[in-house]
Amino acid sequence: MVRCVLEEMRIRSLGVIDDAVVELSPGFTAVTGETGAGKTMVVTSLGLLLGGRADAALVRVGAKSAVVEGRITVPADAPAAVRAEEAGAELDDGALLISRTVSAEGRSRAHLGGRSVPVGLLSELADDLVAVHGQTDQQGLLKPARQRGALDRYAGDAVSVPLAKYTAAYRRLRAVTVEVEEITTRARERAQEADLLRFGLEEIGGVEPREGEDVELAAEAERLGHAEALASAATSAHAALAGNPEDPEGVDASTLVAGASRALEAVRSHDPALSALADRLGEIGILLGDVAGELAGYADDLDADPLRLAAVEERRAALTQLTRKYGADIDAVLTWSQESAARLTELEGDDDRLGELVAERDALRGELAGLAQALTDAREEAASRFAAAVTEELASLAMPHARVSIAISATEVPEGGDGVQVGGRTVAYGPAGVDEVELLLAPHPGAPPRPIAKGASGGELSRVMLAVEVVFAGTDPVPTYLFDEVDAGVGGKAAVEIGRRLARLAKSAQVVVVTHLPQVAAFADRQLLVEKTNDGMVTRSGVQVLEGEDRVRELSRMLAGQEDSETARAHAEELLATARGDG
């Protein structure tokens, strides 16, 4: 399965580093070098890429700004890739390019996938990309929510099955509770809304408008209001077409067209063109007769009744009252009426609906209580196994007397508060159950268990987190781990065990370790050497990938402080052989 991998970082003008490229292995990379050579700048650089605080003091003296660029291979469906694309970033051949610039004045800029972004976005991505464990920067599993999530993944189906059922019931309960609160708190508003709807529906029902009635009445009112003028115009037009009986000598259009038609009929047989014109005159005569007949009928049928006009205007006034309140026209008024009737039915059914919802809410609370208890039982069983496994790991990491445990607790809520009954107590609940999970450490016999962030020194904390990560290997979603000072205060066999466990963790995730112990570095898939030049700067050639003889020489230096010591060389070769044998 493709996973996120930090491929390389380019660091310019940061601390003692002038310009250097750090090429990392997808497995286990060890960063070594003499004290003060700039190894910790790797940690600092990664911190900047992950949205860490910018400090002008990090900028190399004489430079205008420090720049850190990183290239991370990210599957397209990974949460980090999805969030980056939402921010407008683009993947470069399956990789996410991150850049952070810090000016000598302390100003900071961030770029993601070629897009300028807020530094806070880099911090958001950090949780899904890298877990840093060092003296001053602790992330990942120190967060309670991540601890509970990791414990659930460690527990497997024993937790995931009831958790899926619990989550579904929880979401339904949230939805039902919101609806109950809405109906209850808005009862007065809903009653007022129902009254307004009833009034409107009664007003519309009293008028009983028909679809399109306002348009029909407007046309009728226009006709009735001009009845005399319309009748006079129709009578005059009829006389012009068909003649006026009171004026026998008058000339009308029908008589003239008939005369023209007779004149052509007498000679039409002598010329086809004239015959066609005679036919058209015949058609005109027929059309004139039809129009004259319709005009006569229109004049006879025209109703000039003033009582009808008054009735029409009164009806139009009633319809206008409706269109002023409920719609632009009567069709819109009828649409409002239909929608309001449906809404009123919904409002009037609230009492029945409220009773049903309250009953469902109470049933869901009972169901959640049972599922929450099942989750707690499964987590407690997994926590016991986890604590024993981490404690066993610590025994091999120079912490033989340390004990790790997991506290699983729930927060009680006051009587009448929003909670569920679990174990005879009313406790707060959330989308993942009622449990609060916290990793505790007792570093030596007699010491009380305390949260791991408070119960261990910096070096111890890194080793505790290493033990935790090894036990959780494959269950925690963070793809890259950076350990700084994980080997503080240890050596000999314990250092070998640290290297062995880092190599084991690297089988399921990318591991980067800044170390001064050859026993740890020997287990790395890739060893990087950070060296200063004579002027105290780390240049592009100052970060080397060590292979073969060069790696043996560096391990010898780390062992004895002498690169050419035969004894140290033999020991270095033995360490490498041991590491390869484990692999």
Side-chain angles (χ1 to χ4, degrees):
M1 183 180 71
V2 179
R3 67 174 192 240
C4 300
V5 174
L6 177 61
E7 295 180 354
E8 66 177 24
M9 290 191 298
R10 184 178 182 185
I11 309 167
R12 287 177 286 174
S13 301
L14 184 71
V16 298
I17 297 181
D18 178 26
D19 188 349
V21 176
V22 180
E23 298 179 357
L24 302 171
S25 164
F28 179 6
T29 299
V31 182
T32 64
E34 294 186 3
T35 300
K39 300 188 300 298
T40 56
M41 286 298 102
V42 174
V43 180
T44 302
S45 299
L46 188 55
L48 287 173
L49 286 181
L50 300 177
R53 186 176 66 86
D55 187 347
L58 295 173
V59 181
R60 184 170 62 84
V61 176
K64 294 182 179 180
S65 62
V67 180
V68 182
E69 300 169 316
R71 181 181 178 88
I72 304 178
T73 300
V74 183
D77 59 349
V82 174
R83 181 67 185 90
E85 289 182 347
E86 288 175 352
E90 295 182 359
L91 296 182
D92 178 24
D93 193 22
L96 192 60
L97 303 182
I98 305 176
S99 174
R100 183 82 181 277
T101 302
V102 181
S103 71
E105 293 78 28
R107 292 190 299 271
S108 171
R109 289 182 293 120
H111 288 80
L112 181 67
R115 184 73 171 263
S116 178
V117 297
V119 173
L121 178 59
L122 302 186
S123 300
E124 287 183 40
L125 299 181
D127 284 346
D128 295 318
L129 293 175
V130 180
V132 178
H133 302 303
Q135 292 278 18
T136 59
D137 192 2
Q138 299 293 335
Q139 298 180 12
L141 286 173
L142 290 186
K143 299 180 179 180
R146 177 62 61 79
Q147 292 177 12
R148 182 176 58 199
L151 179 61
D152 288 351
R153 286 186 292 275
Y154 179 81
D157 290 345
V159 165
S160 65
V161 172
L163 180 58
K165 296 178 181 177
Y166 175 95
T167 301
Y170 173 84
R171 290 173 178 166
R172 177 56 188 163
L173 176 59
R174 290 291 88 193
V176 169
T177 301
V178 168
E179 194 170 352
V180 167
E181 291 175 353
E182 180 185 359
I183 293 176
T184 303
T185 59
R186 293 188 56 208
R188 179 177 299 176
E189 295 176 17
R190 295 166 78 90
Q192 292 173 345
E193 182 185 358
D195 286 344
L196 289 174
L197 293 176
R198 288 192 195 95
F199 178 83
L201 290 170
E202 289 172 2
E203 187 173 14
I204 294 171
V207 177
E208 295 183 343
R210 293 182 291 101
E211 185 176 346
E213 184 180 3
D214 51 341
V215 177
E216 296 174 5
L217 289 177
E220 186 177 359
E222 183 73 12
R223 186 170 64 252
L224 290 172
H226 299 83
E228 291 184 5
L230 292 172
S232 176
T235 300
S236 297
H238 178 269
L241 294 179
N244 187 348
E246 297 179 359
D247 183 16
E249 301 298 327
V251 179
D252 59 82
S254 296
T255 300
L256 293 174
V257 170
S261 180
R262 286 194 298 272
L264 293 182
E265 282 292 333
V267 294
R268 65 180 299 168
S269 61
H270 303 305
D271 187 347
L274 199 62
S275 177
L277 292 174
D279 290 340
R280 290 170 64 186
L281 276 174
E283 294 172 359
I284 291 173
I286 295 172
L287 182 60
L288 285 174
D290 290 343
V291 173
E294 290 184 17
L295 285 171
Y298 175 84
D300 292 339
D301 294 340
L302 189 62
D303 186 2
D305 184 1
L307 295 178
R308 174 56 186 167
L309 177 59
V312 168
E313 292 296 353
E314 183 179 354
R315 180 64 177 174
R316 291 184 70 201
L319 296 180
T320 299
Q321 290 292 326
L322 299 182
T323 56
R324 284 175 180 172
K325 297 180 181 179
Y326 308 111
D329 53 32
I330 289 301
D331 288 353
V333 169
L334 292 173
T335 298
W336 183 92
S337 177
Q338 293 173 353
E339 294 174 351
S340 297
R343 175 61 175 162
L344 182 59
T345 299
E346 177 185 338
L347 292 173
E348 290 176 339
D350 275 352
D351 290 341
D352 294 338
R353 177 63 176 159
L354 181 60
E356 295 172 359
L357 289 172
V358 169
E360 184 180 2
R361 182 188 62 186
D362 294 342
L364 285 169
R365 285 186 187 278
E367 182 182 354
L368 278 185
L371 291 170
Q373 184 64 63
L375 281 172
T376 300
D377 294 343
R379 284 169 175 155
E380 288 178 345
E381 190 278 331
S384 177
R385 289 187 289 112
F386 162 80
V390 174
T391 299
E392 183 179 350
E393 286 290 329
L394 289 178
S396 300
L397 297 176
M399 297 179 67
H401 303 298
R403 295 290 180 271
V404 168
S405 58
I406 292 185
I408 298 178
S409 60
T411 300
E412 291 194 41
V413 297
E415 185 176 351
D418 183 19
V420 294
Q421 287 286 329
V422 178
R425 300 182 302 155
T426 302
V427 296
Y429 64 99
V434 301
D435 303 315
E436 299 172 9
V437 176
E438 189 167 31
L439 274 68
L440 306 177
L441 172 69
H444 53 80
R450 300 180 63 195
I452 56 176
K454 301 177 182 178
S457 64
E460 288 176 332
L461 182 53
S462 287
R463 275 177 275 159
V464 171
M465 297 312 295
L466 172 59
V468 168
E469 302 292 10
V470 169
V471 172
F472 274 136
T475 67
D476 197 68
V478 177
T480 298
Y481 298 93
L482 175 61
F483 290 92
D484 184 24
E485 304 290 347
V486 69
D487 47 18
V490 299
K493 182 178 179 182
V496 172
E497 291 301 327
I498 289 176
R500 182 173 283 121
R501 277 152 179 76
L502 288 167
R504 184 188 306 170
L505 180 60
K507 293 183 182 300
S508 59
Q510 183 182 31
V511 176
V512 181
V513 178
V514 177
T515 182
H516 66 278
L517 290 182
Q519 296 94 330
V520 172
F523 280 87
D525 300 307
R526 174 175 293 173
Q527 183 172 346
L528 301 179
L529 173 63
V530 181
E531 286 184 308
K532 289 183 180 180
T533 58
N534 293 332
D535 63 358
M537 288 291 106
V538 177
T539 63
R540 181 176 289 272
S541 61
V543 180
Q544 304 176 40
V545 178
L546 299 180
E547 296 178 347
E549 182 63 26
D550 291 336
R551 189 172 186 186
V552 173
R553 185 180 297 111
E554 169 62 8
L555 290 176
S556 299
R557 182 200 63 76
M558 297 172 71
L559 282 163
Q562 302 176 28
E563 298 178 359
D564 299 324
S565 167
E566 291 299 324
T567 302
R569 285 178 57 83
H571 192 183
E573 290 173 349
E574 182 181 356
L575 280 175
L576 287 171
T578 299
R580 295 189 185 105
D582 277 15

